[in-house]
């Protein structure tokens, strides 16, 4: 690659595993794919999901409050902050080790605990829909609603789960710090789990009971860092239409107009491929020359070189 490209990478859940031991193993593979891009001359900022991790933390904190009535329940925003720190700890160490393995010793790696402002009037708050945490019985769900102000919904006959709002990101609070670290040559991990959701009350930032989609947060971050590429890494090599059907078709190249038509047709599953394609289109439309790429983690380098993945552009 001749020209140095600035890239924001959004890591899917397959990059981190579902348990602490799985995560410690998964980040080693993830680090290799990211350092491949650095060796190609790219400036990289990393965003990761936190779906399983924030659920585990939320469950653990809820169990603590049940065991000790004097221990208040931990706000979801604090659980997101905890997930950012412990995922960042494993990920930055794996990245540093991989950099050293390739004799790249002049690139510090840092995790930025990142707050992301959401609009307190976002319609998502009136319709919580994102399930987190473990399944509960009806009795446990009633207790959670009464004592913790949780919103509980029955989930396909499997029990009850807490559902929370998933508002759109409006502002990355630490954007100037992230930009300064990146421009000083650091490999930065930021906006983990979509960011810690906060609302603004004057000069005060108040944690919100919500989770932010990491693909939308990654898109906003990529815009504000003036990135050339937004790479959304997921569990498939390319985007497909008619997925899982006999007429399934994998896509190499997708302009924004065509992508929007496919969105309107309901081609992409909500909570899965849909937010990825939506974020990709938003980024590609934000400035001429910007491109989004959706592909597998291990195919990231080939995707940047134009050899695989689905490219979304104007």
């Amino acid at each position: 690659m001749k020209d140095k490209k600035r890239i924001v990478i959004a890591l899917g859940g397959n990059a981190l595993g579902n348990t602490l031991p799985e995560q410690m193993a998964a980040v080693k593979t993830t680090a290799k794919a990211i350092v491949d891009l650095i060796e190609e001359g790219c400036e990289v900022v990393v965003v990761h999901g936190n779906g399983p991790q924030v659920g585990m933390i939320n469950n653990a904190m809820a169990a603590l409050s049940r065991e000790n009535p004097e221990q208040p329940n931990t706000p979801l925003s604090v659980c997101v902050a905890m997930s950012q720190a412990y995922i960042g700890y494993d990920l930055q160490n794996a990245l540093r080790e991989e950099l050293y393995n390739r004799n790249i010793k002049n690139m510090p790696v840092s995790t930025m605990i990142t707050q992301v402002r959401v609009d307190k009037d976002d319609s998502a708050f009136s319709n919580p829909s994102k399930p987190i945490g473990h399944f509960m019985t009806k009795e446990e769900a009633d207790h959670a609603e009464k004592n913790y102000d949780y919103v509980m919904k029955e989930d396909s006959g499997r029990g009850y789960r807490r559902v929370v709002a998933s508002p759109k990101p409006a502002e990355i609070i630490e954007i100037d710090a992230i930009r300064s670290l990146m421009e000083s040559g650091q490999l930065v991990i930021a906006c983990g789990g979509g960011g810690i959701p906060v609302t603004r009350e004057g000069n005060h930032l108040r944690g919100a009971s919500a989770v932010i989609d990491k693909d939308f947060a990654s898109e906003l971050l990529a815009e504000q860092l003036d990135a050339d590429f937004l790479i959304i890494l997921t569990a498939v090599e390319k985007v497909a239409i008619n997925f899982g059907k006999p007429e399934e078709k994998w896509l190499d190249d997708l302009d924004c107009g065509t992508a929007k038509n496919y969105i309107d047709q309901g081609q992409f599953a909500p909570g899965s491929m849909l937010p990825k394609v939506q974020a990709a289109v938003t980024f590609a439309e934000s400035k001429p020359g910007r491109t989004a790429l959706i592909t597998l983690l291990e195919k990231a380098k080939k995707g940047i070189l134009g050899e695989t993945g689905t490219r979304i552009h104007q």
Side-chain angles (χ1 to χ4, degrees):
M1 184 178 291
K2 294 181 180 179
D3 298 323
K4 193 168 188 177
K5 299 295 185 184
R6 180 170 293 176
I7 296 172
V8 171
I9 296 177
L11 297 174
N14 59 319
L16 297 172
N18 293 299
T19 65
L20 184 55
E22 284 184 10
Q23 178 172 299
M24 293 180 71
V27 292
K28 292 184 180 296
T29 301
T30 299
K32 288 180 170 61
I34 293 170
V35 178
D36 280 347
L37 297 176
I38 292 169
E39 284 194 322
E40 284 294 316
C42 300
E43 288 182 327
V44 176
V45 176
V46 180
V47 179
H48 59 78
N50 70 343
Q53 294 84 358
V54 76
M56 289 186 289
I57 293 168
N58 182 74
N59 291 347
M61 295 297 99
L64 176 62
S65 67
R66 289 193 298 270
E67 293 170 6
N68 180 2
E70 296 182 1
Q71 177 68 37
N73 197 38
T74 305
L76 184 56
S77 57
V78 176
C79 295
V80 174
M82 290 178 177
S83 75
Q84 284 189 357
Y86 104 74
I87 294 170
Y89 163 63
D90 276 347
L91 189 52
Q92 74 183 35
N93 281 344
L95 286 165
R96 183 181 290 108
E97 181 178 345
E98 186 62 27
L99 288 165
Y100 272 59
N101 287 345
R102 304 193 198 189
N103 205 35
I104 304 172
K105 298 184 177 180
N106 61 345
M107 181 173 288
V109 186
S110 55
T111 298
M112 174 62 66
I113 303 302
T114 313
Q115 300 171 95
V116 174
R117 182 181 64 81
V118 298
D119 186 345
K120 65 181 179 180
D121 297 321
D122 191 302
S123 60
F125 284 109
S126 61
N127 183 32
S129 59
K130 184 78 170 178
I132 66 166
H134 65 294
F135 288 97
M136 301 184 192
T137 65
K138 180 68 166 63
E139 292 73 23
E140 289 171 333
D142 290 343
H143 177 83
E145 286 185 329
K146 180 180 178 181
N147 291 277
Y148 307 140
D149 292 325
Y150 284 4
V151 177
M152 306 297 298
K153 287 187 178 179
E154 198 275 333
D155 190 330
S156 305
R158 295 178 294 176
Y160 291 78
R161 292 182 77 187
R162 181 186 183 187
V163 291
V164 298
S166 186
K168 293 292 179 65
E171 177 188 2
I172 298 169
I173 302 299
E174 286 78 19
I175 186 63
D176 290 335
I178 296 166
R179 185 181 293 111
S180 294
L181 290 170
M182 180 198 66
E183 291 179 347
S184 71
Q186 296 205 35
L187 173 51
V188 186
I189 302 160
C191 294
I196 303 163
V198 296
T199 57
R200 190 185 297 279
E201 298 178 0
N203 290 328
H204 177 66
L205 297 174
R206 180 182 297 277
S209 184
V211 291
I212 301 169
D213 189 290
K214 67 102 175 40
D215 296 318
F216 293 135
S218 299
E219 189 284 322
L220 181 60
L221 180 64
E223 276 197 46
Q224 295 191 347
L225 293 179
D226 195 24
D228 301 293
F229 275 90
L230 170 64
I231 305 181
I232 300 175
L233 299 177
T234 185
V236 292
E237 187 168 347
K238 299 178 182 181
V239 177
I241 55 173
N242 301 313
F243 183 71
K245 299 176 181 178
E247 61 272 29
E248 179 180 87
K249 179 183 178 182
W250 298 96
L251 306 171
D252 299 312
D253 191 81
L254 200 53
D255 65 77
C256 292
T258 304
K260 288 179 177 178
N261 287 336
Y262 287 149
I263 289 170
D264 291 342
Q265 292 170 21
Q267 287 283 356
F268 310 121
S272 179
M273 189 55 74
L274 178 60
K276 294 171 174 52
V277 176
Q278 289 173 324
V281 169
T282 301
F283 178 71
E285 288 187 326
S286 64
K287 184 179 178 180
R290 288 177 174 169
T291 301
L293 171 71
I294 301 176
T295 193
L296 281 168
L297 169 68
E298 56 268 30
K299 301 285 187 178
K301 178 179 174 180
K302 286 188 174 183
I304 281 294
L305 296 174
E307 298 173 7
T308 192
T310 302
R311 289 190 169 217
I312 297 93
H313 55 83
Q314 285 190 353

